[in-house]
C-alpha cells in the first residue's frame, strides 16, 4: 500500500500538533516527530524544513479566527474575555505555540518572523485586556489571566472541551 504525500503531511502535522502541545515547540525535535509517525528525520524534513514551517502550517488554519478575535468590537472587557476563552479552548492543541514557545524570547525575535507575528498577537490581546492607561493591578490581572488561559488550555487537552471552557470562564470572571 502506497502512502500519498498529502497523507504523510497530514500524519506529520497531527504528530507535531500533539507533541508541541505535550512538550512544547522548543522541546520537540524533527526526530521526535519522525519517530511518532514511523518515518526518518530526513522524510519529515523533506515535507517541513525548517521546523518553523510545521508551526506555521499548524497556525495557518486559525489565522482568520485570530484576526476576527482581535478586530471584533466588544461591548465590554468581560465580553472580550469570554471570546478569548472560547478561542483558547477551541484551539488548545496549538495555543501553546501562540503564547509560549514561538514568542518566548522576544529579545531575539527577528522582525516579521513567525515569532514576531505571534508576539504581536499576544501583545494585541494584552492591550485589549488592559485598555488605555492601565494601572498596575489591571496589568497584573491581565498577565495572570493570559497565563491561566495558556496553561489551562494546554494542560487539559485530555478533558472535555465544555468542562475546560466552563472552568476557564469561571476563573476569568475573577480577573
Amino acid at each position: 500500500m502506497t502512502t500519498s504525500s498529502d497523507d504523510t503531511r497530514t500524519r506529520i502535522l497531527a504528530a507535531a500538533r500533539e507533541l508541541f502541545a505535550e512538550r512544547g515547540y522548543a522541546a520537540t525535535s524533527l526526530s521526535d516527530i519522525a519517530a511518532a509517525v514511523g518515518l526518518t528525520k530526513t522524510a519529515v524534513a523533506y515535507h517541513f524544513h525548517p521546523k518553523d514551517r510545521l508551526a506555521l502550517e499548524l497556525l495557518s488554519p486559525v489565522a482568520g479566527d485570530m484576526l476576527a478575535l482581535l478586530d471584533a468590537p466588544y461591548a465590554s472587557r468581560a465580553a472580550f474575555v469570554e471570546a478569548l476563552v472560547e478561542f483558547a479552548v477551541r484551539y488548545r492543541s496549538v495555543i501553546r505555540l501562540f503564547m509560549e514557545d514561538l514568542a518566548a524570547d522576544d529579545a531575539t525575535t527577528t522582525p516579521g518572523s513567525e515569532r514576531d507575528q505571534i508576539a504581536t498577537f499576544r501583545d494585541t490581546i494584552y492591550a485589549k485586556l488592559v485598555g488605555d492607561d492601565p494601572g498596575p493591578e489591571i496589568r497584573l490581572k491581565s498577565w495572570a489571566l493570559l497565563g491561566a488561559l495558556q496553561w489551562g488550555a494546554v494542560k487539559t487537552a485530555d478533558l472535555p472541551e465544555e468542562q475546560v471552557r466552563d472552568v476557564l470562564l469561571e476563573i476569568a470572571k475573577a480577573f
Side-chain angles (χ1 to χ4, degrees), residues 14-15 27-28 35 49 74 109 123 149 151:
T28 302
H49 184 63
Y74 296 94
T109 299
D123 294 345
L149 291 178
W151 290 108

Side-chain angles (χ1 to χ4, degrees), residues 37-53:
V37 292
L39 296 171
T40 65
K41 178 182 173 183
T42 304
V44 173
Y46 170 79
H47 292 280
F48 298 100
H49 184 63
K51 185 172 82 169
D52 285 354
R53 284 190 49 214

Side-chain angles (χ1 to χ4, degrees), residues 126-137:
Y126 174 76
K128 281 186 91 88
L129 283 172
V130 298
D132 297 330
D133 196 30
E137 185 176 335

Side-chain angles (χ1 to χ4, degrees), residues 3-100:
T3 304
S4 76
S5 180
D6 286 346
D7 181 50
T8 300
R9 287 176 59 80
T10 300
R11 290 184 15 231
I12 292 169
L13 286 168
R17 182 182 302 110
E18 185 176 315
L19 291 170
F20 290 164
E22 178 186 311
R23 301 178 187 177
Y25 175 81
T28 302
S29 68
L30 288 181
S31 296
D32 296 332
I33 296 164
V37 292
L39 296 171
T40 65
K41 178 182 173 183
T42 304
V44 173
Y46 170 79
H47 292 280
F48 298 100
H49 184 63
K51 185 172 82 169
D52 285 354
R53 284 190 49 214
L54 266 168
L56 187 58
E57 190 140 343
L58 289 172
L59 297 174
S60 297
V62 302
D65 285 352
M66 277 193 290
L67 294 174
L69 175 73
L70 297 176
D71 291 341
Y74 296 94
S76 64
R77 181 177 187 274
F80 175 67
V81 167
E82 187 171 332
L84 182 58
V85 168
E86 290 289 335
F87 179 87
V89 172
R90 184 177 321 120
Y91 296 112
R92 61 188 167 156
S93 66
V94 295
I95 200 70
R96 187 171 183 170
L97 289 170
F98 288 121
M99 301 182 106
E100 181 195 65

